[in-house]
């Protein structure tokens, strides 16, 4: 039996770039998920850490998310709002909305988990019932809804997206919840001011936690690219030998692009938090030998992935890996002895928080999590202290929890802080301590935290078509840059746009596993971003970008646990 264990909790915070340039070139937000998750999840996660001073964790921020948070904070500070939902919150006369605006607002303001964010609120639930009745008559029915209805609707939608900690700490939000109805322009402006304060304070709050040594802040390559595929599209076959590949043989200049994405992320982190990060969580925990080598060359001390990637890399599967799991998983590794150190997440523990504990009472879920850690310690060889890595999204799970996971996290952090043999720590802190040296891993099979493969981003016809479109656009980018057709400002703008197009999120959504409406939305966004890249290169976007890549996607029920921002 080990003398306790070390636990590293990693909360990964990410949203893709939802900004598209409008007719005047000013970026307009086309989806609200960045600021909605900010006022609910990012604020709550900071508050839980602030309430438990002895808690230690790693918080991973993707730079493109931080860019958007700063953009939103500036919008609220200046009043120059470029998000349609926030514009509606500030609109002086919601009765004057056009039919298209009415339809857009009703479509937007019921997008949430209805079990936890609609049904508990009778006034909001009544708005939904009225909408369903009106929508039965189509556009004509929606015209019967008054300006007062839309004032109630947009106010309630933002209230239910406010984090539980913000409701408890901010009197104006609590007063609006108590009021419940009759919301007017003054109420909406009051709520907008609170949203602005939350957004403006978020990054400084996490920076303060890091300065106090209570969390480690880490990052991800700049726009969240699927790193192994940038380096080698065929790396998908390392974990799936029969995977179908795009027609393009490779992503042109992928190594240079990934190195640039890593360098941009480290520079972004240093600019915001005073120093480069010690480590990186590659997008989707997707790694390969080449990815790890580039991270090491950039100065990263650690990186992380998931246990199924470790199992594949060790050549073990099923019962063979299960028999040796504790010996292999709860330690650090290095590929051929080179930096960085590699850590692999405990999948059942991580997925328990992400997908299962929402169905439990918070105190029972926390007790079960701690008991599972205690069993890991009890089963460890004498003299060995396990290092358990629990890594998951820091925003998407909580929508399924009552009270946004408030009671679960409060009980969990309290139990961990008070436990006599479990020590919460960070990867950088652990590396600085006294422990067994990382074990040698002769090779790392390319894979991710989803099934240990890259199949969520490549291999299906629609995903492969998206890769082919991106590869073609990258060839056009290379010709424009190498031919000297762009001045420095044009080259900078085009490079930033290329980085947006390289985001892994676009490829995630294609295929039958996600809800149809979400697939169609991200299909349009991806093609619009590619079209914008061509425009910045001084080229006419090819006509093929007018044609949807997707054939529709699946139903919400078919989506299962393939959960993302929507």
């Amino acid at each position: 039996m080990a003398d306790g264990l070390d636990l590293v909790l990693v909360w990964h915070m990410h949203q893709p770039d939802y900004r598209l340039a409008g007719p005047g070139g000013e970026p307009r937000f086309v989806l609200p998920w960045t600021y909605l998750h900010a006022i609910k999840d990012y604020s709550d996660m900071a508050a839980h850490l602030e309430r438990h001073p002895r808690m230690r964790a790693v918080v991973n921020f993707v730079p493109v998310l931080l860019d958007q948070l700063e953009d939103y904070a500036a919008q609220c500070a200046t009043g120059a709002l470029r998000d349609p939902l926030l514009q509606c919150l500030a609109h002086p006369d919601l009765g004057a909305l056009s039919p298209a605006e009415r339809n857009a607002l009703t479509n937007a303001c019921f997008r949430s988990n209805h079990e936890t964010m609609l049904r508990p609120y009778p006034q909001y639930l009544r708005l939904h019932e009225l909408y369903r009745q009106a929508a039965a008559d189509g556009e004509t029915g929606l015209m019967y809804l008054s300006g007062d209805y839309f004032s109630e609707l947009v106010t309630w939608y933002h209230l239910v997206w406010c984090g539980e900690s913000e409701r408890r700490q901010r009197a104006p939000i609590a007063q609006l919840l108590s009021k419940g109805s009759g919301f007017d322009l003054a109420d909406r402006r009051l709520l907008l001011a609170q949203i602005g304060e939350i957004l403006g304070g978020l990054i400084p709050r996490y920076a303060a936690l890091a300065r106090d040594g209570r969390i480690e802040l880490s990052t991800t390559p700049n726009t969240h690219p699927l790193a192994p595929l940038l380096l080698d599209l065929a790396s998908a076959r390392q974990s799936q030998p029969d995977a179908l590949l795009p027609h393009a043989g490779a992503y042109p200049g992928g190594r240079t692009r990934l190195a640039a994405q890593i360098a941009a992320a480290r520079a972004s982190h240093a600019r915001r938090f005073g120093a480069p990060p010690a480590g990186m969580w590659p997008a989707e925990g997707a790694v390969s030998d080449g990815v790890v080598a580039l991270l090491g060359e950039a100065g990263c001390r650690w990186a992380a992935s998931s246990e199924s990637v470790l199992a594949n890399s060790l050549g073990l599967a099923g019962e063979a890996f299960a028999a040796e799991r504790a010996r292999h998983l709860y330690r650090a590794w290095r590929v051929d002895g080179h930096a960085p150190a590699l850590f692999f997440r405990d999948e059942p523990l991580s997925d328990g928080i992400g997908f299962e504990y929402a169905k439990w009472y918070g105190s029972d879920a926390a007790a079960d999590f701690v008991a599972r850690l205690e069993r890991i310690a009890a089963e460890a060889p004498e003299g060995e202290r396990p290092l358990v890595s629990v890594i998951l999204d820091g925003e998407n799970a909580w929508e399924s929890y009552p009270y946004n996971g408030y009671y679960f996290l409060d009980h969990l952090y309290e139990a961990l802080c008070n436990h006599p043999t479990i020590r919460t720590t960070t990867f950088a802190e652990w590396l600085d301590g006294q422990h067994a040296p990382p074990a040698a891993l002769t090779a790392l099979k390319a894979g991710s935290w989803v099934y240990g493969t890259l199949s969520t981003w490549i291999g299906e016809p629609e995903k492969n078509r998206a890769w082919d479109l991106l590869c073609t656009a990258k060839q056009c980018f290379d010709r424009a840059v190498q031919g000297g057709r762009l001045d420095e400002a044009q080259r900078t703008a085009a490079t930033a746009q290329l980085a947006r197009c390289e985001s892994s999120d676009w490829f995630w959504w294609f295929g039958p596993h996600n809800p149809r409406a979400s697939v169609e939305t991200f299909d349009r966004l991806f093609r619009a971003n590619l079209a914008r890249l061509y425009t910045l290169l001084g080229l006419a976007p090819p006509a093929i970008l007018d044609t949807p890549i997707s054939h529709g996607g699946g139903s919400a029920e078919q989506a299962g646990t393939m959960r993302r921002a929507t």
Side-chain angles (χ1 to χ4, degrees):
M1 177 178 177
D3 182 22
L5 59 74
D6 293 327
L7 170 68
V8 177
L9 267 172
V10 181
W11 302 115
H12 169 57
M13 313 297 201
H14 167 60
Q15 296 294 319
D17 198 336
Y18 294 118
R19 295 170 294 186
L20 283 178
E26 190 75 3
R28 184 173 186 263
F29 282 84
V30 295
L31 287 172
W33 304 118
T34 295
Y35 87 85
L36 291 177
H37 280 294
I39 64 176
K40 185 171 77 72
D41 305 305
Y42 308 143
S43 60
D44 262 6
M45 296 299 279
H48 284 294
L49 291 164
E50 290 162 346
R51 279 197 307 276
H52 296 277
R54 290 182 291 159
M55 187 67 197
R56 300 292 178 266
V58 177
V59 179
N60 189 85
F61 276 114
V62 181
V64 72
L65 168 61
L66 296 176
D67 292 343
Q68 293 176 88
L69 290 177
E70 290 176 342
D71 189 335
Y72 270 116
Q75 289 179 60
C76 292
T78 62
L81 302 174
R82 289 178 283 103
D83 185 289
L85 263 184
L86 289 179
Q87 288 173 341
C88 285
L89 198 59
H91 199 295
D93 183 9
L94 291 172
L97 295 177
S98 69
E101 290 171 329
R102 287 167 174 263
N103 189 57
L105 193 55
T106 51
N107 282 340
C109 286
F110 295 114
R111 285 186 294 193
S112 65
N113 185 313
H114 285 193
E115 194 62 38
T116 58
M117 298 176 68
L118 177 75
R119 292 190 178 93
Y121 307 100
Q123 297 98 326
Y124 186 32
L125 182 60
R126 175 60 177 158
L127 295 175
H128 187 245
E129 293 168 350
L130 289 172
Y131 162 70
R132 293 181 63 183
Q133 294 169 14
D137 293 326
E139 188 175 294
T140 302
L142 292 180
M143 291 306 295
Y144 281 102
L145 297 176
S146 68
D148 289 340
Y149 174 87
F150 288 106
S151 182
E152 302 282 286
L153 178 62
V154 74
T155 303
W156 261 111
Y157 189 63
H158 285 91
L159 286 174
V160 300
W161 273 92
C162 286
E164 186 67 20
S165 299
E166 299 298 344
R167 298 179 185 191
R168 294 167 184 243
Q169 295 170 0
R170 292 180 176 272
I173 293 176
Q175 290 163 5
L176 290 173
L177 283 164
S178 180
K179 182 176 180 179
S181 63
F183 300 125
D184 56 18
L185 179 58
D187 292 323
R188 287 186 273 118
R189 286 177 172 168
L190 176 64
L191 181 54
L192 182 58
Q194 295 296 302
I195 289 171
E197 289 182 12
I198 296 170
L199 292 169
L202 267 178
I203 296 175
R205 289 171 71 185
Y206 281 100
L209 286 165
R211 283 196 305 272
D212 291 344
R214 293 163 61 178
I215 64 171
E216 175 187 351
L217 288 171
S218 62
T219 192
T220 293
N222 196 41
T223 62
H224 207 262
L226 212 291
L229 296 179
L230 287 193
L231 289 183
D232 180 9
L233 294 175
S235 67
R237 288 183 169 165
Q238 292 181 22
S239 54
Q240 281 193 310
D242 58 349
L244 297 175
L245 297 180
H247 293 299
Y251 183 64
R255 189 181 193 280
T256 299
R257 287 300 306 142
L258 180 56
Q261 288 262 10
I262 293 169
R266 287 175 59 80
S268 163
H269 196 95
R271 183 175 69 254
R272 288 180 168 110
F273 303 116
M280 276 198 179
W281 166 253
E284 311 293 359
V287 292
S288 65
D289 283 346
V291 171
V292 171
L294 277 179
L295 292 173
E297 290 172 17
C300 293
R301 297 179 61 202
W302 64 261
S305 186
S306 205
E307 70 172 78
S308 49
V309 174
L310 176 62
N312 289 340
S313 300
L314 292 172
L316 301 173
E319 293 182 2
F321 180 71
E324 299 290 327
R325 180 175 180 272
R327 183 167 69 90
H328 293 315
L329 183 58
Y330 304 127
R331 64 182 308 163
W333 291 83
R334 277 201 174 96
V335 178
D336 286 335
H338 300 301
L342 296 176
F343 302 95
F344 296 91
R345 72 193 277 266
D346 184 305
E347 291 177 358
L349 278 175
S350 303
D351 291 343
I353 296 176
F355 300 105
E356 296 299 325
Y357 285 146
K359 307 165 191 172
W360 296 41
Y361 285 112
S363 57
D364 292 344
D368 182 77
F369 184 88
V370 171
R372 291 164 76 176
L373 291 176
E374 290 170 341
R375 286 196 293 274
I376 291 170
E379 294 168 2
E382 187 69 31
E384 292 189 12
R385 185 176 178 90
L387 171 68
V388 180
S389 302
V390 173
I391 308 173
L392 67 151
D393 286 347
E395 68 269 275
N396 291 322
W398 313 121
E399 197 172 334
S400 300
Y401 279 72
Y403 303 99
N404 206 44
Y406 182 92
Y407 292 104
F408 167 69
L409 283 169
D410 207 44
H411 285 296
L412 178 64
Y413 283 5
E414 183 175 4
L416 292 173
C417 290
N418 293 327
H419 200 283
T421 60
I422 296 173
R423 182 178 76 107
T424 60
T425 185
T426 70
F427 288 136
E429 183 179 67
W430 188 87
L431 287 171
D432 289 338
Q434 298 296 317
H435 48 71
L441 196 60
T442 55
L444 190 62
K445 275 197 175 179
S448 76
W449 68 348
V450 185
Y451 314 131
T453 72
L454 303 178
S455 60
T456 301
W457 301 273
I458 198 169
E460 295 178 357
E462 294 174 4
K463 298 177 189 293
N464 289 350
R465 195 174 308 128
W467 275 107
D468 284 329
L469 290 173
L470 176 60
C471 289
T472 299
K474 178 58 164 57
Q475 290 171 337
C476 293
F477 172 89
D478 289 343
R479 285 195 292 268
V481 170
Q482 293 164 8
R485 290 196 290 105
L486 307 178
D487 61 28
E488 184 175 353
Q490 292 170 325
R491 187 167 59 252
T492 298
T495 302
Q497 184 62 26
L498 173 65
R500 293 186 186 97
C501 296
E502 292 170 338
S503 170
S504 71
D505 298 85
W506 316 123
F507 306 94
W508 169 286
W509 288 101
F510 292 118
H513 308 297
N514 289 298
R516 183 173 294 107
S518 296
V519 172
E520 291 172 351
T521 297
F522 279 82
D523 186 342
R524 287 194 300 272
L525 273 172
F526 178 61
R527 289 182 288 112
N529 272 295
L530 285 175
R532 177 65 178 166
L533 175 59
Y534 280 101
T535 300
L536 291 173
L537 295 174
L539 301 172
I544 194 172
L545 294 181
D546 295 329
T547 303
I549 299 168
S550 169
H551 298 303
S555 66
E557 290 74 19
Q558 289 172 316
T561 58
M562 303 290 282
R563 183 175 58 225
R564 266 300 184 262
T566 54

